[in-house]
Amino acid sequence: MLLSVLLVMMVISWTEAVYTGTVITHTTKNVQGNSFTLVRRYKFGHSSCGETESFISCSGCTQKIDESSGEWCLREYPTWGSRSFIGYYYGLNPGTWINNKNGISTGLAKVFVEGRKRSDINRPNSSPKTGILPVMRVPSNCQRNIRLLTFDPDGDHVQCRNGSGSNECYTCTPPSVLSLSSSCSLSFSPTSSKVEGSYAVQLMMEDFPSQTIALTDNTGSTASISSKISMSRIPVQFVFKVDPAAPSCTAGEYLPRFLPPTPEHGAQFFINVTETIEINITAEATQSVITELLFSGPFNMTKSSSGSGYFTLTWTPSDSQNDDNESHPICFAVQANASSSIYQSELRCVIVRVGNIPFIAIPSPPTTSRLTVLKLKILTTLSLKDNKDKIEKAIKDELIRRGLPADIKVRLLSDGSVKVNN
Ligand SMILES: *[C@@H]1O[C@H](CO)[C@@H](O)[C@H](O)[C@H]1NC(C)=O
Ligand SMILES: *[C@@H]1O[C@H](CO)[C@@H](O)[C@H](O)[C@H]1NC(C)=O
Ligand SMILES: *[C@@H]1O[C@H](CO)[C@@H](O)[C@H](O)[C@H]1NC(C)=O
Ligand SMILES: *[C@@H]1O[C@H](CO)[C@@H](O)[C@H](O)[C@H]1NC(C)=O
Ligand SMILES: *[C@@H]1O[C@H](CO)[C@@H](O)[C@H](O)[C@H]1NC(C)=O
């Protein structure tokens, strides 16, 4: 009796928080026998840091990632544990959405974890990965495309759709001002000042196998799914804010524009645990003053600034946070102000892959011509001479598992080096 009273009270205090969005991802690690380690990372946005802290009633469970003073605070709640092969929904009631024009009140943040063992990779699925800021803003007279980072640790095909149904949202009305494509791009077209205000965006991101596969649960029961059936389903929720019209929509004037050496959207970095990565970000705006860098990234990433428009994100992955053998999305935007208006740059996202991988030159993400260095170790008893095809296939499968496109070609050359192209 006492327990149920306590639970009710916890929910009530939690629903007082003003909610601004979430991304919940999960990663499969250390598959052993009939169990594996499931690492879940919840990123939650609320209107202030104190509100988010009251969310899970244990101190030190969540950590602040970043905040935009007076507007939002983003926190992460990382959690892991041993699981058996089973699929299930897991979710939380994140509270009431901030006032919004599409009339969404109670929030719902639920993820479907496909924890059954996949026949193609012989382990349970890891969810697709993405990142977003709790509040994305654009002036009402400007065009904006938000290309969400979509990345899948198993090399699966990723799609987005509007949330729908009782496991995904209580009120599901999508914002009238944004159009979402299945490839996870959201576009906003210049419109009248009548639409100014905040909108609650509630998307679902899903991963699909490239061919029909079997999923086996902990009782041994098997089901087959085609490439049209999704595996994990993660919520991607945020506030889209349409601001008053800007005097100009040209990036670099009022809206800040990124300059080199800011990494391109989709760029990848490879490091080991206990090594430190530094990402330098530079932006300019000739008609406004750049005030801050806003980001969403892993637990314990820090930001610093060395003057207006010069920023650095720094992170050291840690074993104690289970960061190893995982790809971590990092997203950022720069904000500027002029005559009490706020201007936000486009959103950029990069991926930091943490793990021990040997040297192979691989092609960079499709949009850049960057050369990426990857280290990969595949242990095999096959001889190089007689099993060239099998070894090439093993390397290819591993590269795809690490996020390269499924149509890459892998060739093992006579000098022992490996050539990869697409
Ligand atoms: C999401 O909903 C909007 C508005 O109803 C619709 O225009 C859009 O096509 C939908 N997007 C997807 C990917 O289903
Ligand atoms: C980032 O900028 C700082 C200061 O300008 C510089 O010392 C550092 O080498 C840069 N780091 C990278 C990784 O480019
Ligand atoms: C996170 O940062 C804090 C303060 O900088 C430090 O005390 C703590 O050890 C860090 N935690 C991890 C897991 O790196
Ligand atoms: C711009 O932002 C800075 C720092 O937040 C603040 O001190 C200043 O008053 C703002 N200026 C305008 C014109 O809003
Ligand atoms: C990661 O650590 C391993 C040793 O555990 C080392 O062989 C490898 O060179 C390191 N990789 C990078 C990118 O530093």
Side-chain angles (χ1 to χ4, degrees):
M1 200 56 210
L2 183 61
L3 182 65
S4 64
V5 171
L6 281 176
L7 283 175
V8 168
M9 282 170 52
M10 230 173 73
V11 170
I12 290 169
S13 77
W14 173 229
T15 53
E16 282 166 6
V18 181
Y19 175 61
T20 62
T22 192
V23 174
I24 306 178
T25 59
H26 64 88
T27 310
T28 294
K29 299 188 181 181
N30 307 326
V31 184
Q32 272 172 356
N34 290 319
S35 67
F36 67 102
T37 303
L38 180 74
V39 178
R40 290 188 306 227
R41 303 193 189 275
Y42 303 72
K43 291 198 170 84
F44 281 94
H46 285 92
S47 51
S48 78
C49 289
E51 288 167 359
T52 318
E53 197 152 39
S54 65
F55 151 40
I56 292 163
S57 13
C58 57
S59 71
C61 289
T62 75
Q63 197 208 37
K64 183 177 105 178
I65 297 173
D66 197 17
E67 76 180 301
S68 177
S69 201
E71 193 176 28
W72 54 259
C73 177
L74 181 67
R75 277 183 176 270
E76 183 175 67
Y77 172 45
T79 166
W80 48 84
S82 178
R83 301 275 153 176
S84 57
F85 302 142
I86 182 169
Y88 64 97
Y89 276 101
Y90 191 84
L92 294 155
N93 173 0
T96 304
W97 276 95
I98 64 160
N99 277 332
N100 57 78
K101 299 195 76 163
N102 51 328
I104 313 291
S105 176
T106 308
L108 180 63
K110 247 186 185 180
V111 56
F112 180 73
V113 176
E114 180 47 89
R116 290 178 289 179
K117 197 176 194 173
R118 292 172 57 165
S119 56
D120 56 344
I121 56 175
N122 212 28
R123 55 201 272 129
N125 191 49
S126 291
S127 75
K129 303 279 179 84
T130 193
I132 192 79
L133 294 177
V135 178
M136 301 288 300
R137 350 176 35 134
V138 68
S140 61
N141 60 329
C142 302
Q143 162 78 36
R144 178 64 56 92
N145 260 347
I146 305 172
R147 285 182 298 147
L148 291 178
L149 172 82
T150 58
F151 166 75
D152 189 90
D154 306 312
D156 301 320
H157 178 59
V158 179
Q159 286 194 349
C160 288
R161 59 177 173 75
N162 297 309
S164 72
S166 61
N167 276 316
E168 298 178 353
C169 25
Y170 288 119
T171 311
C172 300
T173 320
S176 52
V177 295
L178 271 179
S179 95
L180 170 73
S181 75
S182 61
S183 61
C184 305
S185 275
L186 291 141
S187 73
F188 172 80
S189 299
T191 174
S192 82
S193 58
K194 287 199 205 79
V195 304
E196 285 166 13
S198 296
Y199 296 81
V201 182
Q202 304 175 102
L203 309 179
M204 296 303 291
M205 188 177 273
E206 309 176 283
D207 56 349
F208 297 79
S210 54
Q211 58 195 11
T212 297
I213 60 168
L215 296 171
T216 306
D217 72 15
N218 56 353
T219 66
S221 157
T222 291
S224 150
I225 61 160
S226 77
S227 57
K228 294 194 171 63
I229 309 283
S230 68
M231 293 173 288
S232 296
R233 301 190 274 282
I234 65 164
V236 179
Q237 305 181 349
F238 60 97
V239 175
F240 183 73
K241 195 167 182 191
V242 181
D243 284 328
S248 144
C249 293
T250 306
E253 294 181 356
Y254 291 86
L255 298 165
R257 169 171 77 129
F258 288 118
L259 298 174
T262 311
E264 296 297 328
H265 187 64
Q268 301 181 34
F269 299 89
F270 298 82
I271 56 168
N272 272 334
V273 277
T274 72
E275 290 174 356
T276 297
I277 184 167
E278 236 183 31
I279 301 174
N280 283 342
I281 295 162
T282 304
E284 71 167 7
T286 55
Q287 308 299 315
S288 59
V289 178
I290 292 181
T291 51
E292 55 189 338
L293 170 77
L294 301 171
F295 78 98
S296 165
F299 204 84
N300 256 26
M301 175 167 251
T302 56
K303 67 177 177 186
S304 59
S305 174
S306 53
S308 176
Y310 294 88
F311 304 96
T312 303
L313 289 172
T314 308
W315 182 48
T316 309
S318 148
D319 270 330
S320 71
Q321 292 304 311
N322 229 319
D323 291 327
D324 205 6
N325 297 315
E326 188 171 335
S327 297
H328 300 264
I330 296 165
C331 298
F332 54 87
V334 164
Q335 269 186 191
N337 65 8
S339 339
S340 75
S341 294
I342 297 176
Y343 300 103
Q344 198 176 72
S345 70
E346 58 163 332
L347 180 76
R348 280 207 188 169
C349 300
V350 301
I351 302 164
V352 177
R353 297 176 166 203
V354 181
N356 176 24
I357 325 173
F359 265 100
I360 300 185
I362 58 160
S364 46
T367 50
T368 67
S369 55
R370 192 182 310 261
L371 184 70
T372 309
V373 173
L374 169 80
K375 284 181 168 187
L376 182 74
K377 186 186 265 173
I378 293 179
L379 290 176
T380 173
T381 53
L382 300 174
S383 90
L384 199 63
K385 194 160 153 285
D386 302 316
N387 298 280
K388 192 162 165 279
D389 292 353
K390 280 188 187 149
I391 295 172
E392 283 176 351
K393 178 158 189 321
I395 296 172
K396 179 176 171 175
D397 290 349
E398 182 64 15
L399 290 174
I400 293 171
R401 203 177 69 74
R402 290 176 186 271
L404 285 189
D407 59 357
I408 52 166
K409 293 186 180 60
V410 173
R411 275 202 303 143
L412 198 55
L413 305 180
S414 52
D415 64 0
S417 67
V418 174
K419 195 172 174 193
V420 181
N421 34 27
N422 61 350

